[in-house]
């Protein structure tokens, strides 16, 4: 059978994405992997001698990401709130991945003071060494409006403020040099952000009736809209800023937070490894992927499925970034 022409393959890939259900479910990678447009896997041992940190690494996408990075040779640092659970996951990782190296680090990403403490501890632990990959996977979807220790709406604290501050504090450890490859910072976002515009006018969600799923989607929209700002800010130190959305994956977070969605879509959901595939690929593939983009199933995607509803004005992006800088105390 003759392979499909590349324009046809790209058209099929795009159609899957625009149709949402087939593209976001397990059908997406099942079809795309058979297309000539599917990128090659990272080479075996691509991350040997490198260090990767993954937040929220004790279950679901975070655990699958940690395992994928370990299989490529990385020393994986499991950044978790519950160190006892983190240690159990570490032991599981050592059993499942021959030769794996993993370390448990404690951090509550929602607590900006704890992020500062963690970054200082990690800086000391690396002892002048480099952090090559930082995956911001930790997530939250509260049923009611909840505030972080600093008084910020929880989803914004976990998905935006904590990751930005953590990366900023670790910039010297992430910075590349002439003889090293660019560092990779990956924000694990969500397809839910396609349904929400950037709410720079109300980042703390203080207006209207609060919805956890809406708050979650708004914070994920903020992650993606800030990518150009972050990519530009970190480019001088050769730190790439990327975002991935995993599609619809069967994870404990989905079961706990969206039980109705899980009941309806269960048979079609991706497993955690399928959901984490692009994150792991971005962390290890060569050459370095372009910074400042949203990725899904190993291809850069538009951040808008409904442009008229979600298109962001530069002034709104600037306003959101100003709020992030003020909330985190960045220069």
């Amino acid at each position: 059978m003759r392979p499909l022409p590349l324009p046809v393959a790209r058209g099929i890939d795009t159609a899957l994405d625009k149709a949402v259900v087939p593209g976001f479910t397990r059908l997406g990678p099942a079809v795309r992997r058979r297309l000539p447009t599917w990128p090659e896997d990272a080479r075996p041992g691509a991350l040997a001698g490198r260090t990767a940190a993954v937040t929220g690494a004790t279950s679901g996408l975070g655990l699958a990401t940690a395992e994928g990075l370990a299989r490529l040779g990385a020393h994986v640092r499991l950044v978790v709130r519950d160190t006892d659970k983190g240690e159990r996951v570490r032991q599981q990782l050592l059993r499942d991945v021959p030769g794996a190296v993993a370390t448990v680090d404690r951090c509550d990403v929602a607590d900006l003071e704890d992020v500062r403490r963690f970054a200082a501890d990690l800086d000391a632990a690396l002892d002048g060494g480099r952090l090559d990959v930082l995956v911001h996977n930790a997530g939250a979807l509260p049923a009611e409006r909840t505030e972080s220790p600093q008084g910020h709406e929880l989803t914004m604290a976990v998905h935006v403020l904590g990751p930005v501050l953590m990366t900023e504090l670790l910039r010297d450890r992430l910075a590349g040099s002439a003889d090293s490859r660019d560092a990779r910072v990956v924000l694990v976002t969500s397809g839910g952000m396609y349904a929400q515009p950037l709410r720079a006018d109300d980042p703390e969600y203080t207006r209207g009736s609060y919805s956890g799923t809406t708050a979650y989607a708004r914070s994920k929209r903020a992650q993606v809209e800030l990518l150009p700002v972050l990519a530009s800010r970190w480019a001088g130190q050769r730190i790439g800023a990327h975002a991935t959305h995993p599609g619809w994956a069967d994870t404990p977070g989905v079961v706990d937070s969206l039980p109705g969605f899980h009941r309806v879509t269960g048979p079609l959901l991706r497993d955690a490894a399928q959901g984490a595939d692009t994150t792991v690929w971005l962390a290890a593939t060569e050459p370095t992927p372009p910074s400042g983009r949203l990725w899904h199933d190993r291809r850069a995607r538009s951040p808008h499925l409904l442009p008229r509803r979600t298109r962001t004005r530069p002034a709104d992006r600037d306003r959101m970034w100003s709020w992030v800088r003020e909330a985190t105390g960045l220069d």
Side-chain angles (χ1 to χ4, degrees), residues 124-284:
L126 291 172
D127 192 24
R130 190 176 183 219
L131 180 63
D132 300 277
V133 177
L134 176 57
V135 178
H136 294 295
N137 170 82
L141 200 167
E144 299 178 349
R145 190 180 185 281
T146 308
E147 293 187 349
S148 72
Q150 286 73 39
H152 300 296
E153 192 277 321
L154 187 64
T155 64
M156 277 293 187
V158 174
H159 303 147
V160 179
L161 300 180
V164 169
L165 178 61
M166 183 183 295
T167 306
E168 286 284 328
L169 295 172
L170 292 171
R171 279 174 68 169
D172 288 345
R173 299 281 69 79
L174 288 159
S177 60
D179 59 351
S180 65
R181 72 173 204 162
D182 291 6
R184 318 278 172 91
V185 176
V186 184
L187 293 155
V188 180
T189 188
S190 165
M193 62 94 194
Y194 283 117
Q196 291 294 322
L198 184 69
R199 289 300 305 270
D201 61 318
D202 188 22
E204 300 279 13
Y205 207 151
T206 58
R207 304 176 198 165
S209 179
Y210 184 86
S211 161
T213 54
T214 299
Y216 182 86
R218 286 184 181 182
S219 66
K220 295 297 186 178
R221 167 58 64 185
Q223 286 181 329
V224 172
E225 293 298 340
L226 289 176
L227 273 178
V229 178
L230 301 176
S232 176
R233 185 175 175 89
W234 299 335
Q237 291 177 284
R238 295 183 55 188
I239 302 169
H242 315 278
T244 62
H245 89 74
W248 295 344
D250 191 356
T251 66
V254 171
V255 174
D256 294 341
S257 302
L258 301 169
F261 174 81
H262 185 266
R263 283 194 301 272
V264 172
T265 61
L268 291 174
L269 296 180
R270 302 175 180 214
D271 62 30
Q274 290 172 324
D277 172 81
T278 299
T279 300
V280 174
W281 177 81
L282 269 178

